């Protein structure tokens, strides 16, 4: 195959992983195919789960995936500075800043200046935000359970162990966390 060869017509989001690895190996014989397959598979599996959660649970309730992550963090960790919220929810401060306008407009969060540092922004859930996360998370957890049911309990524990090992061992990864 050359770079001009059209891909097969029956490619899907999931089957593209095999196709991409095979094509990359042909184009660049020195490619680390196992690493490529691992990262593509992880990325695509994550995308599928997130798409499912966002489209079936959060969008129907008026939330985006990032919006859910923010109110989820505030629900479980309590009021906190915006920079901590950004870190915990896995988004940049700039992305969080833009999102806060929507969450505040929708009455889900409250922004105030932090008492200890007037330059810092303190975020908290409103009563409406608290009700939204309780209702949304019940449905969210039912979808999580549906995904998890594909694996036996020991397989789920092993998957989590391996993902933790991957994160702990990726010392060369420069962007483990967003700033």
């Amino acid at each position: 195959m050359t770079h001009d060869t059209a891909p097969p017509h029956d490619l899907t989001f999931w089957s593209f992983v095999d196709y991409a690895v095979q094509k990359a190996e042909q184009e660049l014989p020195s490619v680390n195919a196992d690493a490529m397959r691992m990262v593509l598979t992880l990325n695509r599996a994550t995308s599928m789960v997130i798409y499912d959660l966002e489209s079936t649970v959060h969008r129907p309730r008026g939330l985006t995936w990032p919006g859910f992550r923010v109110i989820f963090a505030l629900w479980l960790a309590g009021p906190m500075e915006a920079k901590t919220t950004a870190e915990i929810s896995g988004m940049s401060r700039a992305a969080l800043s833009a999102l806060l306008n929507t969450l505040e407009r929708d009455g889900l969060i409250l922004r105030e200046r932090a008492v200890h540092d007037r330059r810092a922004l303190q975020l908290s859930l409103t009563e409406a935000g608290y009700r939204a996360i309780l209702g949304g998370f019940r449905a969210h957890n039912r979808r999580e359970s549906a995904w998890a049911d594909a694996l036996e309990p020991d397989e789920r524990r092993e998957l989590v162990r391996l993902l933790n090992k991957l994160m702990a061992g990726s010392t060369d990864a420069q962007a483990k966390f967003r700033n």
Side-chain angles (χ1 to χ4, degrees):
M1 281 194 278
T2 68
H3 67 279
D4 295 329
T5 305
H9 293 291
D10 60 347
L11 276 181
T12 64
F13 182 75
W14 196 250
S15 72
F16 181 74
V17 173
D18 290 332
Y19 174 79
V21 171
Q22 177 186 14
K23 180 83 173 187
E25 283 182 305
Q26 290 172 350
E27 294 278 329
L28 296 167
S30 64
V31 74
N32 183 337
D34 287 342
M36 181 181 176
R37 183 178 307 281
M38 181 194 76
V39 172
L40 273 174
T41 301
L42 181 60
N43 176 276
R44 288 187 176 246
T46 301
S47 292
M48 290 170 73
V49 171
I50 290 171
Y51 179 78
D52 177 51
L53 291 168
E54 184 171 38
S55 65
T56 63
V57 176
H58 303 298
R59 286 270 179 204
R61 288 173 170 74
L63 277 176
T64 61
W65 178 248
F68 165 76
R69 290 179 0 228
V70 167
I71 67 170
F72 178 77
L74 291 170
W75 170 49
L76 294 174
M80 67 184 99
E81 285 188 37
K83 68 179 183 178
T84 305
T85 307
E87 181 179 338
I88 288 173
S89 61
M91 59 181 58
S92 69
R93 289 186 193 178
L96 177 66
S97 181
L99 176 60
L100 292 179
N101 293 329
T102 302
L103 294 175
E104 187 174 45
R105 181 200 68 216
D106 293 347
L108 301 175
I109 62 133
L110 181 63
R111 287 192 271 199
E112 300 174 303
R113 291 286 159 205
V115 175
H116 70 282
D117 181 351
R118 300 299 295 162
R119 296 169 296 169
L121 196 57
Q122 182 85 6
L123 305 177
S124 60
L125 283 180
T126 62
E127 190 59 39
Y130 181 75
R131 286 191 310 272
I133 191 62
L134 287 184
F137 188 71
R138 285 183 184 103
H140 177 101
N141 188 243
R142 283 191 297 274
R143 292 302 308 148
E144 288 176 324
S145 296
W147 281 96
D149 284 347
L151 302 174
E152 296 297 323
D154 60 327
E155 292 172 320
R156 290 191 294 266
R157 287 187 295 274
E158 180 66 3
L159 178 59
V160 170
R161 186 190 71 74
L162 290 171
L163 291 171
N164 284 329
K165 183 177 181 179
L166 177 67
M167 291 308 301
S170 299
T171 56
D172 291 340
Q174 296 297 312
K176 279 189 182 180
F177 306 101
R178 295 179 178 166
N179 293 325

